[in-house]
Amino acid sequence: MIHLKTLFTEQAKVQYPIICGAMYPCSNPELIAAVSEAGGLGIVQPLSLVYVHGYEFKKGLAKIRELTQKPIGMNVIVEKNSKIYEDRMKKWVDEAIEAGCRFFVTALGNPKWVLDKVKAVGGYVYHDVTEKKWALKVLDYGVDGLICVNNRAGGHAGTQTAETLIQELSVFKIPLVCAGGIGDEKDFVSALKLGYAGVQMGTRFIATSDCNSHSDYKEAILKAEEEDIVKTERITGVPLSVIRTPYVDKVGLKVGPISKLLFKYRRTRHWIRFLYNLRAVAAMKKTALKGVSTKDYYQAGKSVHGIERIESVKAIVERFVSEAGK
Ligand SMILES: Cc1cc2nc3c(=O)[nH]c(=O)nc-3n(C[C@H](O)[C@H](O)[C@H](O)COP(=O)(O)O)c2cc1C
């Protein structure tokens, strides 16, 4: 029997140590609410809520609140960006705090301004890390926990295994959440046995009846095996885990020589990233919502190995919890 009460569940005020990670473009309000309602923590991806699912940010939060009164979290990508992006993100964080959100997951940069706002209201901030060197950069700011993104994760995967990450990061004595590779209840229990205070899943929650993504995408996740997950630079310029399709084979996994040069130099890196992201955002939205085209990229992690059918979020959470209780 595994204990499901951890420092993470205490801080996030949830029943079970299960997070549905932010997913652009798959985080629809119904999915987020379903995970929180089932006793886990659904995380809002603000760009997905507004630009994919078409809600004005505050109204999107209100929609989630209609579906659940339980705690929800918010993802804040704190990467250096345009002033317009940064101001908008600050406004959204204020609105989320006003709406009662007290758990934030920051990624890709300096989380200090988020911590300043969230700590002032007694909330918690966990930061995404892939290696110890990134953890060392954010610990001084006072983050409460780390989302340890391993080499099996969907989205921008890390390079290290879940085992290595916990070995290296447990010295910091703050809650560690395992992100990547959790596809079934056995993976969940193994992560908790390793000492993680919770898991963050993405891919498993796409293949649910609560996620609005296209059925072609969900079917691709069910069919895929672990070996079908490859990392491509061609979408955002940095390796992103996707399911191997004929299109992925055709275009290859690497960026061309000119883009490579532009990514290399500090001065041009910001602009080429911006252009790639703009293109990626449109392509991913189209694939997730409208299904197959000749330019398909289905983001998914190696957790596809344990995903055999489309289920409700509630059924998945219940099965995971029951396995932990054995
Ligand atoms: C389709 C997709 C989109 C994602 N988008 C984001 C995002 O916008 N922000 C973020 O911090 N993580 C993002 N992630 C990472 C997830 O939040 C989570 O950490 C990851 O999916 C865990 O690995 P798993 O897919 O093996 O469960 C994304 C993952 C997927 C599969």
Side-chain angles (χ1 to χ4, degrees), residues 251-298:
V251 299
L253 302 174
K254 300 279 175 208
V255 292
I258 296 174
S259 296
K260 203 173 180 158
L261 268 182
L262 295 172
F263 271 114
K264 197 168 161 193
Y265 297 109
R266 221 165 200 279
R267 282 190 162 191
T268 49
R269 194 184 298 148
H270 177 72
W271 288 106
I272 183 81
R273 242 192 217 168
F274 175 73
L275 288 178
Y276 264 73
N277 280 338
L278 213 63
R279 206 184 54 173
V281 156
M284 289 193 289
K285 175 176 165 182
K286 186 169 142 270
T287 305
L289 299 177
K290 300 211 172 101
V292 175
S293 78
T294 48
K295 294 209 167 203
D296 277 335
Y297 278 115
Y298 291 131

Side-chain angles (χ1 to χ4, degrees), residues 113-132:
W113 68 263
V114 182
L115 275 152
D116 289 345
K117 286 180 185 287
V118 174
K119 288 284 135 196
V121 294
Y124 294 92
V125 178
Y126 281 35
H127 191 80
D128 266 9
V129 294
T130 52
E131 288 177 38
K132 189 174 180 180

Side-chain angles (χ1 to χ4, degrees), residues 206-209 211-223 243 286-292 296 298 310:
I206 298 172
T208 58
S209 45
C211 178
N212 280 353
S213 289
H214 196 278
S215 56
D216 288 348
Y217 189 177
K218 296 180 186 178
E219 288 300 325
I221 289 175
L222 302 191
K223 277 197 205 120
I243 300 174
K286 186 169 142 270
T287 305
L289 299 177
K290 300 211 172 101
V292 175
D296 277 335
Y298 291 131
I310 295 167

Side-chain angles (χ1 to χ4, degrees), residues 11 26 88 90 114 141 187 220 248 269-270 294-295 302 310:
Q11 294 179 338
C26 308
R88 189 180 45 187
K90 284 179 181 158
V114 182
Y141 297 123
D187 298 330
V248 171
R269 194 184 298 148
H270 177 72
T294 48
K295 294 209 167 203
K302 286 186 181 284
I310 295 167

